[in-house]
mmCIF file of all heavy atoms in Angstrom:
data_model
loop_
_atom_site.group_PDB
_atom_site.id
_atom_site.type_symbol
_atom_site.label_atom_id
_atom_site.label_comp_id
_atom_site.label_asym_id
_atom_site.label_seq_id
_atom_site.Cartn_x
_atom_site.Cartn_y
_atom_site.Cartn_z
ATOM 1 N N GLU A 1 29.050 3.821 -124.845
ATOM 2 C CA GLU A 1 28.125 2.742 -124.413
ATOM 3 C C GLU A 1 28.129 2.662 -122.906
ATOM 4 O O GLU A 1 29.094 2.957 -122.223
ATOM 5 C CB GLU A 1 28.618 1.373 -124.944
ATOM 6 C CG GLU A 1 28.119 1.113 -126.320
ATOM 7 C CD GLU A 1 28.495 -0.317 -126.717
ATOM 8 O OE1 GLU A 1 29.112 -1.085 -125.944
ATOM 9 O OE2 GLU A 1 28.079 -0.671 -127.843
ATOM 10 N N ILE A 2 26.978 2.208 -122.401
ATOM 11 C CA ILE A 2 26.860 1.806 -120.979
ATOM 12 C C ILE A 2 26.556 0.328 -120.991
ATOM 13 O O ILE A 2 25.525 -0.031 -121.654
ATOM 14 C CB ILE A 2 25.787 2.614 -120.266
ATOM 15 C CG1 ILE A 2 26.094 4.097 -120.178
ATOM 16 C CG2 ILE A 2 25.505 2.030 -118.853
ATOM 17 C CD1 ILE A 2 24.931 4.944 -119.644
ATOM 18 N N ASN A 3 27.351 -0.490 -120.390
ATOM 19 C CA ASN A 3 27.112 -1.899 -120.284
ATOM 20 C C ASN A 3 27.002 -2.298 -118.798
ATOM 21 O O ASN A 3 27.904 -2.018 -118.063
ATOM 22 C CB ASN A 3 28.237 -2.706 -120.918
ATOM 23 C CG ASN A 3 28.221 -2.496 -122.412
ATOM 24 O OD1 ASN A 3 27.409 -2.979 -123.138
ATOM 25 N ND2 ASN A 3 29.216 -1.745 -122.888
ATOM 26 N N VAL A 4 25.853 -2.799 -118.446
ATOM 27 C CA VAL A 4 25.591 -3.145 -117.043
ATOM 28 C C VAL A 4 25.086 -4.599 -116.987
ATOM 29 O O VAL A 4 24.228 -4.950 -117.747
ATOM 30 C CB VAL A 4 24.512 -2.198 -116.462
ATOM 31 C CG1 VAL A 4 24.192 -2.630 -115.031
ATOM 32 C CG2 VAL A 4 24.984 -0.746 -116.472
ATOM 33 N N SER A 5 25.665 -5.319 -116.087
ATOM 34 C CA SER A 5 25.217 -6.746 -115.828
ATOM 35 C C SER A 5 24.983 -6.918 -114.322
ATOM 36 O O SER A 5 25.873 -6.402 -113.549
ATOM 37 C CB SER A 5 26.243 -7.735 -116.295
ATOM 38 O OG SER A 5 26.409 -7.658 -117.718
ATOM 39 N N GLU A 6 23.934 -7.584 -113.987
ATOM 40 C CA GLU A 6 23.714 -7.806 -112.560
ATOM 41 C C GLU A 6 22.942 -9.142 -112.384
ATOM 42 O O GLU A 6 22.101 -9.487 -113.212
ATOM 43 C CB GLU A 6 22.926 -6.696 -111.929
ATOM 44 C CG GLU A 6 22.824 -6.812 -110.443
ATOM 45 C CD GLU A 6 22.671 -5.450 -109.754
ATOM 46 O OE1 GLU A 6 23.146 -4.447 -110.319
ATOM 47 O OE2 GLU A 6 22.176 -5.473 -108.683
ATOM 48 N N ARG A 7 23.288 -9.839 -111.316
ATOM 49 C CA ARG A 7 22.622 -11.099 -110.952
ATOM 50 C C ARG A 7 21.373 -10.860 -110.185
ATOM 51 O O ARG A 7 21.392 -10.110 -109.203
ATOM 52 C CB ARG A 7 23.540 -11.990 -110.159
ATOM 53 C CG ARG A 7 22.947 -13.352 -109.843
ATOM 54 C CD ARG A 7 23.870 -14.191 -108.964
ATOM 55 N NE ARG A 7 25.249 -14.141 -109.470
ATOM 56 C CZ ARG A 7 25.837 -15.043 -110.301
ATOM 57 N NH1 ARG A 7 25.068 -16.029 -110.694
ATOM 58 N NH2 ARG A 7 27.046 -14.932 -110.685
ATOM 59 N N MET A 8 20.214 -11.386 -110.657
ATOM 60 C CA MET A 8 18.946 -11.237 -109.934
ATOM 61 C C MET A 8 18.901 -12.246 -108.839
ATOM 62 O O MET A 8 18.986 -13.449 -109.075
ATOM 63 C CB MET A 8 17.761 -11.426 -110.901
ATOM 64 C CG MET A 8 16.476 -11.139 -110.241
ATOM 65 S SD MET A 8 15.074 -11.025 -111.350
ATOM 66 C CE MET A 8 14.750 -12.723 -111.697
ATOM 67 N N PRO A 9 18.715 -11.776 -107.578
ATOM 68 C CA PRO A 9 18.601 -12.772 -106.494
ATOM 69 C C PRO A 9 17.398 -13.656 -106.637
ATOM 70 O O PRO A 9 16.387 -13.300 -107.269
ATOM 71 C CB PRO A 9 18.416 -11.862 -105.257
ATOM 72 C CG PRO A 9 18.929 -10.514 -105.660
ATOM 73 C CD PRO A 9 18.670 -10.378 -107.153
ATOM 74 N N GLU A 10 17.465 -14.854 -106.084
ATOM 75 C CA GLU A 10 16.330 -15.865 -106.158
ATOM 76 C C GLU A 10 15.057 -15.364 -105.660
ATOM 77 O O GLU A 10 14.018 -15.547 -106.238
ATOM 78 C CB GLU A 10 16.786 -17.105 -105.391
ATOM 79 C CG GLU A 10 17.908 -17.900 -105.985
ATOM 80 C CD GLU A 10 17.528 -18.694 -107.225
ATOM 81 O OE1 GLU A 10 16.329 -18.998 -107.416
ATOM 82 O OE2 GLU A 10 18.430 -18.983 -108.054
ATOM 83 N N ASP A 11 15.093 -14.607 -104.541
ATOM 84 C CA ASP A 11 13.857 -14.185 -103.887
ATOM 85 C C ASP A 11 13.452 -12.750 -104.243
ATOM 86 O O ASP A 11 12.835 -12.080 -103.436
ATOM 87 C CB ASP A 11 13.948 -14.358 -102.359
ATOM 88 C CG ASP A 11 15.131 -13.553 -101.797
ATOM 89 O OD1 ASP A 11 15.965 -13.051 -102.616
ATOM 90 O OD2 ASP A 11 15.184 -13.382 -100.557
ATOM 91 N N CYS A 12 13.843 -12.310 -105.396
ATOM 92 C CA CYS A 12 13.654 -10.928 -105.852
ATOM 93 C C CYS A 12 12.418 -10.786 -106.665
ATOM 94 O O CYS A 12 12.060 -11.640 -107.471
ATOM 95 C CB CYS A 12 14.898 -10.542 -106.581
ATOM 96 S SG CYS A 12 14.887 -8.821 -107.201
ATOM 97 N N ASP A 13 11.761 -9.574 -106.513
ATOM 98 C CA ASP A 13 10.699 -9.218 -107.420
ATOM 99 C C ASP A 13 11.287 -8.794 -108.745
ATOM 100 O O ASP A 13 12.045 -7.842 -108.791
ATOM 101 C CB ASP A 13 9.908 -8.080 -106.827
ATOM 102 C CG ASP A 13 8.954 -7.393 -107.804
ATOM 103 O OD1 ASP A 13 8.227 -8.132 -108.587
ATOM 104 O OD2 ASP A 13 8.928 -6.161 -107.858
ATOM 105 N N PRO A 14 11.013 -9.507 -109.883
ATOM 106 C CA PRO A 14 11.628 -9.192 -111.142
ATOM 107 C C PRO A 14 11.419 -7.758 -111.596
ATOM 108 O O PRO A 14 12.338 -7.108 -112.101
ATOM 109 C CB PRO A 14 10.995 -10.173 -112.134
ATOM 110 C CG PRO A 14 10.538 -11.298 -111.255
ATOM 111 C CD PRO A 14 10.134 -10.687 -109.959
ATOM 112 N N THR A 15 10.198 -7.229 -111.381
ATOM 113 C CA THR A 15 9.928 -5.865 -111.845
ATOM 114 C C THR A 15 10.771 -4.859 -111.057
ATOM 115 O O THR A 15 11.354 -3.929 -111.666
ATOM 116 C CB THR A 15 8.440 -5.526 -111.706
ATOM 117 O OG1 THR A 15 7.671 -6.451 -112.494
ATOM 118 C CG2 THR A 15 8.123 -4.131 -112.124
ATOM 119 N N GLY A 16 10.881 -5.071 -109.779
ATOM 120 C CA GLY A 16 11.703 -4.161 -108.988
ATOM 121 C C GLY A 16 13.183 -4.286 -109.355
ATOM 122 O O GLY A 16 13.869 -3.267 -109.391
ATOM 123 N N PHE A 17 13.648 -5.475 -109.618
ATOM 124 C CA PHE A 17 15.037 -5.729 -110.071
ATOM 125 C C PHE A 17 15.296 -4.942 -111.393
ATOM 126 O O PHE A 17 16.271 -4.264 -111.530
ATOM 127 C CB PHE A 17 15.284 -7.182 -110.261
ATOM 128 C CG PHE A 17 16.615 -7.480 -110.871
ATOM 129 C CD1 PHE A 17 17.771 -7.402 -110.099
ATOM 130 C CD2 PHE A 17 16.725 -7.879 -112.200
ATOM 131 C CE1 PHE A 17 19.000 -7.678 -110.692
ATOM 132 C CE2 PHE A 17 17.910 -8.171 -112.759
ATOM 133 C CZ PHE A 17 19.103 -8.049 -112.016
ATOM 134 N N HIS A 18 14.339 -5.089 -112.360
ATOM 135 C CA HIS A 18 14.525 -4.445 -113.641
ATOM 136 C C HIS A 18 14.541 -2.904 -113.476
ATOM 137 O O HIS A 18 15.394 -2.229 -114.081
ATOM 138 C CB HIS A 18 13.449 -4.868 -114.635
ATOM 139 C CG HIS A 18 13.463 -6.254 -115.022
ATOM 140 N ND1 HIS A 18 12.363 -7.056 -115.117
ATOM 141 C CD2 HIS A 18 14.534 -7.074 -115.307
ATOM 142 C CE1 HIS A 18 12.723 -8.250 -115.457
ATOM 143 N NE2 HIS A 18 14.011 -8.313 -115.587
ATOM 144 N N ARG A 19 13.627 -2.392 -112.685
ATOM 145 C CA ARG A 19 13.565 -0.933 -112.435
ATOM 146 C C ARG A 19 14.851 -0.441 -111.781
ATOM 147 O O ARG A 19 15.372 0.619 -112.166
ATOM 148 C CB ARG A 19 12.367 -0.571 -111.574
ATOM 149 C CG ARG A 19 11.059 -0.602 -112.394
ATOM 150 C CD ARG A 19 9.923 -0.024 -111.617
ATOM 151 N NE ARG A 19 8.790 0.070 -112.449
ATOM 152 C CZ ARG A 19 7.541 -0.379 -112.092
ATOM 153 N NH1 ARG A 19 7.370 -0.925 -110.921
ATOM 154 N NH2 ARG A 19 6.575 -0.303 -112.958
ATOM 155 N N SER A 20 15.366 -1.192 -110.857
ATOM 156 C CA SER A 20 16.572 -0.757 -110.191
ATOM 157 C C SER A 20 17.785 -0.710 -111.167
ATOM 158 O O SER A 20 18.592 0.251 -111.126
ATOM 159 C CB SER A 20 16.909 -1.756 -109.056
ATOM 160 O OG SER A 20 18.190 -1.520 -108.516
ATOM 161 N N LEU A 21 17.834 -1.670 -112.093
ATOM 162 C CA LEU A 21 18.945 -1.706 -113.052
ATOM 163 C C LEU A 21 18.745 -0.540 -114.031
ATOM 164 O O LEU A 21 19.751 0.131 -114.410
ATOM 165 C CB LEU A 21 18.931 -3.059 -113.791
ATOM 166 C CG LEU A 21 20.187 -3.410 -114.503
ATOM 167 C CD1 LEU A 21 21.396 -3.446 -113.605
ATOM 168 C CD2 LEU A 21 20.028 -4.766 -115.214
ATOM 169 N N LEU A 22 17.521 -0.274 -114.435
ATOM 170 C CA LEU A 22 17.255 0.859 -115.337
ATOM 171 C C LEU A 22 17.549 2.184 -114.671
ATOM 172 O O LEU A 22 18.086 3.084 -115.295
ATOM 173 C CB LEU A 22 15.830 0.808 -115.874
ATOM 174 C CG LEU A 22 15.477 -0.396 -116.701
ATOM 175 C CD1 LEU A 22 13.973 -0.492 -116.969
ATOM 176 C CD2 LEU A 22 16.261 -0.396 -118.023
ATOM 177 N N ASP A 23 17.243 2.312 -113.366
ATOM 178 C CA ASP A 23 17.614 3.517 -112.642
ATOM 179 C C ASP A 23 19.127 3.758 -112.640
ATOM 180 O O ASP A 23 19.601 4.889 -112.798
ATOM 181 C CB ASP A 23 17.108 3.467 -111.184
ATOM 182 C CG ASP A 23 15.608 3.616 -111.097
ATOM 183 O OD1 ASP A 23 14.944 4.043 -112.109
ATOM 184 O OD2 ASP A 23 15.006 3.278 -110.016
ATOM 185 N N ALA A 24 19.894 2.655 -112.426
ATOM 186 C CA ALA A 24 21.340 2.756 -112.416
ATOM 187 C C ALA A 24 21.855 3.202 -113.788
ATOM 188 O O ALA A 24 22.757 4.043 -113.925
ATOM 189 C CB ALA A 24 21.969 1.402 -112.074
ATOM 190 N N ILE A 25 21.244 2.680 -114.858
ATOM 191 C CA ILE A 25 21.626 3.088 -116.213
ATOM 192 C C ILE A 25 21.310 4.599 -116.446
ATOM 193 O O ILE A 25 22.134 5.330 -116.983
ATOM 194 C CB ILE A 25 20.941 2.199 -117.244
ATOM 195 C CG1 ILE A 25 21.540 0.856 -117.231
ATOM 196 C CG2 ILE A 25 20.982 2.851 -118.633
ATOM 197 C CD1 ILE A 25 20.785 -0.176 -118.013
ATOM 198 N N ASN A 26 20.167 5.048 -115.970
ATOM 199 C CA ASN A 26 19.794 6.449 -116.115
ATOM 200 C C ASN A 26 20.704 7.366 -115.351
ATOM 201 O O ASN A 26 21.097 8.474 -115.816
ATOM 202 C CB ASN A 26 18.335 6.682 -115.730
ATOM 203 C CG ASN A 26 17.333 6.094 -116.729
ATOM 204 O OD1 ASN A 26 17.611 6.072 -117.929
ATOM 205 N ND2 ASN A 26 16.230 5.593 -116.261
ATOM 206 N N GLU A 27 21.192 6.949 -114.152
ATOM 207 C CA GLU A 27 22.158 7.702 -113.410
ATOM 208 C C GLU A 27 23.439 7.837 -114.135
ATOM 209 O O GLU A 27 24.091 8.932 -114.177
ATOM 210 C CB GLU A 27 22.385 7.092 -112.039
ATOM 211 C CG GLU A 27 21.314 7.324 -111.028
ATOM 212 C CD GLU A 27 21.618 6.727 -109.682
ATOM 213 O OE1 GLU A 27 22.821 6.889 -109.259
ATOM 214 O OE2 GLU A 27 20.763 6.153 -109.052
ATOM 215 N N LEU A 28 23.912 6.741 -114.721
ATOM 216 C CA LEU A 28 25.179 6.813 -115.464
ATOM 217 C C LEU A 28 25.003 7.715 -116.714
ATOM 218 O O LEU A 28 25.899 8.479 -116.993
ATOM 219 C CB LEU A 28 25.574 5.372 -116.001
ATOM 220 C CG LEU A 28 26.131 4.469 -114.902
ATOM 221 C CD1 LEU A 28 26.239 3.025 -115.396
ATOM 222 C CD2 LEU A 28 27.491 4.971 -114.443
ATOM 223 N N ALA A 29 23.897 7.618 -117.388
ATOM 224 C CA ALA A 29 23.647 8.443 -118.532
ATOM 225 C C ALA A 29 23.682 9.930 -118.176
ATOM 226 O O ALA A 29 24.319 10.759 -118.857
ATOM 227 C CB ALA A 29 22.321 8.090 -119.198
ATOM 228 N N ARG A 30 23.054 10.260 -117.071
ATOM 229 C CA ARG A 30 23.085 11.688 -116.589
ATOM 230 C C ARG A 30 24.548 12.128 -116.271
ATOM 231 O O ARG A 30 24.950 13.222 -116.604
ATOM 232 C CB ARG A 30 22.204 11.860 -115.352
ATOM 233 C CG ARG A 30 20.745 11.985 -115.704
ATOM 234 C CD ARG A 30 19.904 12.419 -114.524
ATOM 235 N NE ARG A 30 19.925 11.490 -113.370
ATOM 236 C CZ ARG A 30 19.145 10.416 -113.333
ATOM 237 N NH1 ARG A 30 18.272 10.129 -114.231
ATOM 238 N NH2 ARG A 30 19.216 9.618 -112.239
ATOM 239 N N ALA A 31 25.328 11.201 -115.640
ATOM 240 C CA ALA A 31 26.687 11.511 -115.334
ATOM 241 C C ALA A 31 27.510 11.780 -116.598
ATOM 242 O O ALA A 31 28.461 12.546 -116.589
ATOM 243 C CB ALA A 31 27.331 10.384 -114.524
ATOM 244 N N TYR A 32 27.147 11.085 -117.688
ATOM 245 C CA TYR A 32 27.851 11.301 -118.983
ATOM 246 C C TYR A 32 27.301 12.526 -119.727
ATOM 247 O O TYR A 32 27.818 12.867 -120.787
ATOM 248 C CB TYR A 32 27.698 10.100 -119.866
ATOM 249 C CG TYR A 32 28.447 8.875 -119.389
ATOM 250 C CD1 TYR A 32 27.930 7.556 -119.598
ATOM 251 C CD2 TYR A 32 29.640 8.954 -118.725
ATOM 252 C CE1 TYR A 32 28.598 6.448 -119.147
ATOM 253 C CE2 TYR A 32 30.303 7.828 -118.266
ATOM 254 C CZ TYR A 32 29.795 6.605 -118.486
ATOM 255 O OH TYR A 32 30.470 5.468 -118.056
ATOM 256 N N GLY A 33 26.251 13.114 -119.217
ATOM 257 C CA GLY A 33 25.670 14.276 -119.889
ATOM 258 C C GLY A 33 24.723 13.904 -121.014
ATOM 259 O O GLY A 33 24.379 14.715 -121.869
ATOM 260 N N TRP A 34 24.289 12.635 -121.026
ATOM 261 C CA TRP A 34 23.339 12.218 -122.101
ATOM 262 C C TRP A 34 21.946 12.603 -121.712
ATOM 263 O O TRP A 34 21.556 12.497 -120.554
ATOM 264 C CB TRP A 34 23.408 10.730 -122.250
ATOM 265 C CG TRP A 34 24.714 10.157 -122.687
ATOM 266 C CD1 TRP A 34 25.841 10.817 -123.065
ATOM 267 C CD2 TRP A 34 24.999 8.780 -122.833
ATOM 268 N NE1 TRP A 34 26.813 9.922 -123.430
ATOM 269 C CE2 TRP A 34 26.330 8.642 -123.305
ATOM 270 C CE3 TRP A 34 24.329 7.566 -122.613
ATOM 271 C CZ2 TRP A 34 26.955 7.430 -123.578
ATOM 272 C CZ3 TRP A 34 24.893 6.380 -122.895
ATOM 273 C CH2 TRP A 34 26.223 6.291 -123.336
ATOM 274 N N PRO A 35 21.076 12.938 -122.673
ATOM 275 C CA PRO A 35 19.685 13.271 -122.358
ATOM 276 C C PRO A 35 18.898 12.007 -122.043
ATOM 277 O O PRO A 35 17.843 12.067 -121.463
ATOM 278 C CB PRO A 35 19.160 13.934 -123.648
ATOM 279 C CG PRO A 35 20.096 13.526 -124.699
ATOM 280 C CD PRO A 35 21.456 13.234 -124.076
ATOM 281 N N GLY A 36 19.351 10.852 -122.483
ATOM 282 C CA GLY A 36 18.664 9.553 -122.291
ATOM 283 C C GLY A 36 19.488 8.503 -122.854
ATOM 284 O O GLY A 36 20.678 8.664 -123.182
ATOM 285 N N VAL A 37 18.890 7.319 -123.053
ATOM 286 C CA VAL A 37 19.641 6.177 -123.635
ATOM 287 C C VAL A 37 18.727 5.461 -124.659
ATOM 288 O O VAL A 37 17.508 5.592 -124.676
ATOM 289 C CB VAL A 37 20.018 5.151 -122.553
ATOM 290 C CG1 VAL A 37 20.980 5.753 -121.566
ATOM 291 C CG2 VAL A 37 18.849 4.527 -121.843
ATOM 292 N N THR A 38 19.365 4.704 -125.450
ATOM 293 C CA THR A 38 18.707 3.718 -126.354
ATOM 294 C C THR A 38 19.202 2.363 -125.892
ATOM 295 O O THR A 38 20.444 2.139 -125.833
ATOM 296 C CB THR A 38 19.086 3.962 -127.827
ATOM 297 O OG1 THR A 38 18.645 5.238 -128.198
ATOM 298 C CG2 THR A 38 18.484 2.887 -128.730
ATOM 299 N N ILE A 39 18.316 1.516 -125.494
ATOM 300 C CA ILE A 39 18.661 0.121 -125.100
ATOM 301 C C ILE A 39 18.926 -0.624 -126.376
ATOM 302 O O ILE A 39 18.039 -0.853 -127.151
ATOM 303 C CB ILE A 39 17.604 -0.541 -124.237
ATOM 304 C CG1 ILE A 39 17.361 0.319 -123.009
ATOM 305 C CG2 ILE A 39 18.057 -1.958 -123.836
ATOM 306 C CD1 ILE A 39 16.146 -0.215 -122.147
ATOM 307 N N CYS A 40 20.185 -1.043 -126.614
ATOM 308 C CA CYS A 40 20.562 -1.727 -127.856
ATOM 309 C C CYS A 40 20.426 -3.247 -127.739
ATOM 310 O O CYS A 40 19.985 -3.887 -128.670
ATOM 311 C CB CYS A 40 21.980 -1.384 -128.188
ATOM 312 S SG CYS A 40 22.258 0.376 -128.428
ATOM 313 N N HIS A 41 20.790 -3.756 -126.568
ATOM 314 C CA HIS A 41 20.761 -5.207 -126.387
ATOM 315 C C HIS A 41 20.362 -5.503 -124.968
ATOM 316 O O HIS A 41 20.747 -4.813 -124.027
ATOM 317 C CB HIS A 41 22.136 -5.898 -126.635
ATOM 318 C CG HIS A 41 22.697 -5.584 -128.027
ATOM 319 N ND1 HIS A 41 22.164 -6.154 -129.140
ATOM 320 C CD2 HIS A 41 23.683 -4.785 -128.385
ATOM 321 C CE1 HIS A 41 22.871 -5.704 -130.141
ATOM 322 N NE2 HIS A 41 23.803 -4.865 -129.741
ATOM 323 N N ALA A 42 19.566 -6.565 -124.766
ATOM 324 C CA ALA A 42 19.258 -7.063 -123.483
ATOM 325 C C ALA A 42 19.498 -8.602 -123.500
ATOM 326 O O ALA A 42 19.012 -9.263 -124.468
ATOM 327 C CB ALA A 42 17.810 -6.778 -123.085
ATOM 328 N N LEU A 43 20.193 -9.108 -122.597
ATOM 329 C CA LEU A 43 20.511 -10.551 -122.541
ATOM 330 C C LEU A 43 20.237 -11.108 -121.141
ATOM 331 O O LEU A 43 20.715 -10.536 -120.145
ATOM 332 C CB LEU A 43 22.001 -10.808 -122.936
ATOM 333 C CG LEU A 43 22.418 -12.239 -122.822
ATOM 334 C CD1 LEU A 43 21.708 -13.107 -123.875
ATOM 335 C CD2 LEU A 43 23.956 -12.324 -123.050
#
């Protein structure tokens, strides 16, 4: 599993924030040798 949590700044563009978090997840997945991910939970 990859579990990532991050606080969104008050003055942040939500779409950019989400994309940044997803990019970080994709980087971790590549580092683990995974071809991709399945997002199981979002909170």
Side-chain angles (χ1 to χ4, degrees):
E1 277 187 356
I2 295 173
N3 293 288
V4 177
S5 296
E6 189 150 335
R7 182 182 315 266
M8 186 169 78
E10 292 284 337
D11 59 348
C12 179
D13 166 45
T15 300
F17 173 77
H18 294 139
R19 283 193 174 127
S20 173
L21 199 58
L22 295 170
D23 287 346
I25 288 168
N26 288 327
E27 282 184 42
L28 287 168
R30 281 190 298 275
Y32 292 146
W34 296 357
V37 298
T38 298
I39 302 172
C40 301
H41 304 288
L43 177 64

